[in-house]
Amino acid sequence: MTLSPARVPVGAPGVRRLTATLYGYAFLDEFVLLYPVYALLFADTGLSVGQMSSLFVLWSATGVLLEVPSGAWADAVSRRLLLWLGPLLGATGFALWVLVPSYWAFAAGFVLWGVRGALGSGALEALVYEELERLGAADRYARIMGRAHAAGQAAVMTAMALAGPVFAAYGYPAVGAASVLACLLCAATATRFPEHRGTAAADGEGEEEAHGWVSTLRAGIAEARRDRSVRGALLLVPAVAAVWGSLDEYTPLLARETGASDGAIPYLLMMVWAGVTAGSLLSGPAARLGRGGFAALLAASALALALGAGTGTPAGLALVALAFGGFQLATVLADARLQQRIEGTARATLTSVAGLGTELATITVYGTYAHLASTTTHGTTFALFAVPCLVVASAVAVRR
């Protein structure tokens, strides 16, 4: 007879504390009023599309260098430590952008933002999954992470709604100050995460802090080499997340190209992010989606992206919103499937390996986008990127 852990009630204190902290952290992490206007800040400072793309590449390159080491560090020491340290670096970068706007200040800010992302990538997913597993609630991971993403996307939409009037009244310094404050509050919230991983890991003390990340890195790589299902899940995450996650950085330029005024752009982006939020909230009901359904989701999202971006009108952004919602749902499901397949202690390390793949693919998208946008419109460039998404959908459909 096999004994299973008793199911913990949804409102159990441990689950409630974890989810409340997670949702607050996710909201503050994305409540950045600079998001809908920083591409405009770059353009108003005199940067070309090529220079902007070089900044995005620098951002991703920072993640490439630090993604896996930071995940191994999170497994060896404290994941909570990395989660509160990252937002402090982000606050510093945003302050640089508005205090000394120039290409090199933007570059320094993106490096700090890249470090911030690397520290949180893998650490957050691993902490949440293992705390839920400890509480006997690991089966709720997809639903809870979907709601956390939705909280972050609600923050993005709130920030977009506020960015327009704040920017119109006070300019870039005001939206920058609000963004810095949100980062500081995010860091404070991260200190409230529960973490039950032993004294050495939680406190970052002893020999494990100095050498443990090397052994956890080796353990993670060994698990990926040993288990084909883990390898497949590692490849699926970047294949799903990289294209639409990169295109998101250019959506303000796509919206401006449709003829919308700068004051209306944040509201058009709110519509796009409303679609992304809907995708996150559907992650619970869609958690059991089979391979065929998953492939259909990707294919339908790719077609909506091509049709919506190709119209060249503000109304076409509604289809872009639908596409981004589908891609977001697929991203959450891909992450959940990866977490379910990891069995060893190097959970943050393997999640960071998937993040590394995403960053490498993202750099490719940025470089390709810069080349295409220099010869055609942003709408056509968006539509062309539907092709690799269709390829991934086909690969998922035919894979054994």
Side-chain angles (χ1 to χ4, degrees):
M1 178 179 179
T2 302
L3 297 178
S4 301
R7 183 178 177 82
V8 178
V10 173
V15 175
R16 188 164 57 245
R17 176 189 171 186
L18 174 63
T19 56
T21 304
L22 174 64
Y23 299 156
Y25 180 87
F27 184 91
L28 291 168
D29 190 43
E30 298 289 353
F31 187 65
V32 178
L33 270 65
L34 273 170
Y35 280 174
V37 299
Y38 72 73
L40 306 180
L41 171 62
F42 299 162
D44 292 342
T45 306
L47 272 63
S48 66
V49 174
Q51 288 176 310
M52 292 184 204
S53 294
S54 71
L55 291 174
F56 297 152
V57 169
L58 178 63
W59 181 19
S60 292
T62 303
V64 167
L65 292 175
L66 298 178
E67 183 77 40
V68 176
S70 67
W73 186 26
D75 280 329
V77 289
S78 170
R79 293 160 182 168
R80 181 172 55 202
L81 167 66
L82 273 61
L83 292 176
W84 66 254
L85 179 61
L88 297 181
L89 299 178
T92 304
F94 293 149
L96 283 173
W97 284 4
V98 294
L99 291 176
V100 285
S102 64
Y103 180 85
W104 295 111
F106 298 148
F110 269 119
V111 168
L112 291 171
W113 198 356
V115 176
R116 170 191 180 175
L119 292 179
S121 176
L124 180 64
E125 294 87 349
L127 185 149
V128 172
Y129 190 88
E130 290 190 358
E131 287 298 315
L132 288 173
E133 190 174 47
R134 183 182 66 85
L135 294 167
D139 59 321
R140 299 180 203 158
Y141 176 82
R143 182 183 300 273
I144 288 172
M145 288 303 291
R147 290 176 178 175
H149 284 293
Q153 288 136 18
V156 170
M157 290 188 290
T158 304
M160 288 175 178
L162 293 174
V166 171
F167 176 67
Y170 305 106
Y172 292 117
V175 294
S179 301
V180 170
L181 177 60
C183 290
L184 297 178
L185 293 175
C186 182
T189 302
T191 64
R192 299 295 303 160
F193 273 116
E195 186 173 25
H196 299 81
R197 301 183 58 239
T199 303
D203 298 335
E205 298 174 353
E207 184 178 355
E208 186 176 9
E209 181 179 16
H211 306 290
W213 76 271
V214 177
S215 61
T216 55
L217 177 58
R218 290 174 178 169
I221 293 173
E223 182 173 356
R225 292 178 61 184
R226 181 175 62 251
D227 192 331
R228 185 166 60 180
S229 68
V230 172
R231 290 199 304 274
L234 285 173
L235 292 172
L236 183 61
V237 172
V240 170
V243 170
W244 83 273
S246 305
L247 293 180
D248 170 53
E249 304 303 327
Y250 300 98
T251 49
L253 302 178
L254 176 66
R256 176 181 272 180
E257 187 179 76
T258 66
S261 65
D262 287 354
I265 287 175
Y267 301 105
L268 290 173
L269 297 184
M270 281 179 61
M271 178 178 64
V272 173
W273 280 95
V276 176
T277 304
S280 295
L281 292 174
L282 289 171
S283 58
R288 297 183 180 179
L289 200 63
R291 186 179 69 243
F294 191 89
L297 172 65
L298 289 176
S301 301
L303 293 175
L305 176 65
L307 292 173
T311 64
T313 65
L317 291 177
L319 282 175
V320 176
L322 181 63
F324 276 25
F327 289 135
Q328 170 64 17
L329 173 57
T331 300
V332 175
L333 296 179
D335 169 57
R337 294 178 185 190
L338 172 62
Q339 300 302 327
Q340 291 164 1
R341 284 161 175 74
I342 298 173
E343 297 180 354
T345 59
R347 183 175 302 278
T349 303
L350 283 171
T351 307
S352 291
V353 169
L356 173 62
T358 302
E359 294 293 348
L360 291 172
T362 295
I363 290 175
T364 303
V365 174
Y366 287 150
T368 306
Y369 192 101
H371 173 71
L372 292 174
S374 66
T375 59
T376 187
T377 65
H378 291 288
T380 301
T381 303
F382 266 67
L384 288 173
F385 274 106
V387 175
C389 300
L390 289 171
V391 172
V392 173
S394 300
V396 170
V398 302
R399 179 179 179 273
R400 291 184 177 181

